[in-house]
Amino acid sequence: MIKRFDQFLEDVSKWGVIICVAFMLILTLSNILLRWFETSVLWIEPLVRHIVFLATFLGGSLATGDKHHIKIDVLSRILESTNNENINYYLEKVIGIATLVAVVTLTYASFNLAEIEFEFGKESFLNIHSGYLLSIIPAGMSLISLRVLLNLFIKDQK
């Protein structure tokens, strides 16, 4: 059940990145073509910047699910040579818990930031409130936190 849910999040993230990249290409190319005719659409560039931001968090979710994220694992590299499965297993869990604590802390901070932005922010391009645009951060961090949590419960990693 946990693996299926993790696979669902993997698929959503993968297709989200594909859709974001396609949408960014279409918008950017259309803006370049419009410049040939000495015109442009002002909201395309800020929208593309926010889509890049969204794609970054979706890519972070993919990297977290595959355990290809940035990590400091000097101790695990040293203990890897011992070939003791129990030590490596528990060390992986401790590193996972430490990662989860860090990511949940960042998620909490990002929710506070979004709350402040909703209170004091203003409307940006296309009459979209800046709080909605900044909500990409807590949504992305929540997705990454969930992937880290699921990795703690999945025994055989990819």
Side-chain angles (χ1 to χ4, degrees):
M1 172 96 170
I2 293 174
K3 281 184 102 169
R4 282 197 321 204
F5 183 59
D6 187 57
Q7 186 59 47
F8 170 75
L9 292 177
E10 178 91 10
D11 292 341
V12 167
S13 297
K14 192 180 304 178
W15 280 104
V17 168
I18 291 169
I19 291 168
C20 284
V21 169
F23 201 49
M24 286 186 293
L25 278 171
I26 291 168
L27 288 174
T28 303
L29 288 174
S30 64
N31 210 19
I32 290 170
L33 291 174
L34 286 173
R35 287 182 188 160
W36 287 351
F37 301 106
E38 297 181 9
T39 187
S40 69
V41 181
L42 295 176
W43 53 264
I44 287 180
E45 290 180 18
L47 179 61
V48 168
R49 281 195 300 267
H50 284 86
I51 295 171
V52 167
F53 206 36
L54 177 62
T56 302
F57 278 107
L58 292 172
S61 168
L62 290 171
T64 301
D66 289 340
K67 297 189 98 176
H68 285 91
H69 52 75
I70 297 173
K71 59 183 175 181
I72 301 171
D73 59 349
V74 175
L75 187 59
S76 65
R77 298 267 182 189
I78 293 170
L79 293 175
E80 200 173 70
S81 61
T82 63
N83 292 328
N84 189 339
E85 292 295 322
N86 286 335
I87 291 175
N88 290 334
Y89 174 79
Y90 288 116
L91 183 62
E92 184 178 313
K93 294 302 176 189
V94 168
I95 291 170
I97 290 169
T99 303
L100 182 64
V101 168
V103 175
V104 166
T105 302
L106 288 171
T107 303
Y108 177 74
S110 66
F111 272 106
N112 288 339
L113 178 65
E115 185 179 338
I116 291 168
E117 188 66 27
F118 272 112
E119 187 175 343
F120 297 108
K122 58 182 178 161
E123 287 187 358
S124 290
F125 61 94
L126 295 176
N127 295 327
I128 300 172
H129 193 276
S130 60
Y132 292 112
L133 298 171
L134 193 79
S135 293
I136 293 171
I137 300 171
M141 290 304 298
S142 296
L143 181 61
I144 292 171
S145 297
L146 186 57
R147 297 297 304 270
V148 170
L149 180 66
L150 291 174
N151 275 341
L152 284 173
F153 293 108
I154 297 175
K155 291 188 182 185
D156 53 335
Q157 294 297 321
K158 300 173 189 172

